[in-house]
């Protein structure tokens, strides 16, 4: 039976997850709050209703070689001055934004594939900052990357076959490609 609350809730603590699956929850898969530090390696996080991963309240997440997919909400939500570093990871088939960064959060992505999202690939707003390097943003049902009043740096990436714009920037956004 599906968990009704977040399957893993870490608050003001540390999480080390390796070689695991966090699947099928009625809320979120992993919630990191209030100065939490987490390292996720070689994990599959999928099939949740709200978000596969939520990072908030100045928390830190380092994620490598993992898959974040098939959420009815967002793949990963990062907010409230949190920091996320992602490498060698696949985001696919999430219904809302595959990655949603807001409220002065910072995110870096390297060697990652963001594909086949049901809406926007990456959505950045509210003074957040995003750097994406050597990654693929493709085949999303809407815009590949959306930036609103935030910063986006794109280096060595392939942005193609998205059904909306490749990059959409608005309201004092700063984009470097």
């Amino acid at each position: 039976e599906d968990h009704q609350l977040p399957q893993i809730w870490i608050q003001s603590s540390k999480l080390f997850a390796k070689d695991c699956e966090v699947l099928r929850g009625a809320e979120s898969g992993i919630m990191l709050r209030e100065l939490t530090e987490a390292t996720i390696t070689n994990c599959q996080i999928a099939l949740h209703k709200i978000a596969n991963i939520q990072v908030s309240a100045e928390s830190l997440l380092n994620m490598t070689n993992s898959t974040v997919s098939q959420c009815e909400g967002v793949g990963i939500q990062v907010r409230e001055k949190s920091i996320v570093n992602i490498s060698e990871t696949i985001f696919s088939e999430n219904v809302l934004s595959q990655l949603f960064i807001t409220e002065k959060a910072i995110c870096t992505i390297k060697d990652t594939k963001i594909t086949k999202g049901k809406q926007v690939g990456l959505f950045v707003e509210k003074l957040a900052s995003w750097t994406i390097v050597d990654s693929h943003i493709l085949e999303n049902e809407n815009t590949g990357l959306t930036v609103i009043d935030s910063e986006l740096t794109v280096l060595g990436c392939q942005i193609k076959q998205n059904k909306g714009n490749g990059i959409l920037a608005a309201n004092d956004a700063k984009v470097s490609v």
Side-chain angles (χ1 to χ4, degrees), residues 59-131:
S59 294
L60 170 65
L61 169 62
N62 294 303
M63 183 165 57
T64 305
N65 195 33
S66 295
T67 301
V68 179
S69 65
Q70 299 174 318
C71 182
E72 290 181 28
V74 298
I76 184 170
Q77 179 184 63
V78 185
R79 59 193 190 99
E80 298 169 336
K81 299 182 183 177
S82 294
I83 299 171
V84 172
N85 302 300
I86 299 169
S87 65
E88 301 171 5
T89 292
I90 296 171
F91 288 84
S92 69
E93 301 176 63
N94 295 291
V95 173
L96 298 178
S97 300
Q98 302 231 47
L99 297 103
F100 179 66
I101 309 303
T102 188
E103 300 166 9
K104 298 183 181 178
I106 299 170
C107 185
T108 60
I109 294 179
K110 188 172 192 301
D111 297 323
T112 290
K113 187 174 183 181
I114 299 144
T115 185
K116 297 181 181 170
K118 305 303 178 194
Q119 291 189 29
V120 174
L122 299 103
F123 191 94
V124 187
E125 68 169 6
K126 296 184 181 173
L127 305 175
S129 175
W130 196 306
T131 300

Side-chain angles (χ1 to χ4, degrees), residues 17 22 35 47 51 54 63 72 75 80 113 120 132 145-146 165 167:
V22 181
L35 303 170
L47 300 165
Q54 292 191 53
M63 183 165 57
E72 290 181 28
E80 298 169 336
K113 187 174 183 181
V120 174
I132 183 165
L145 303 132
T146 299
N165 304 97
I167 297 174

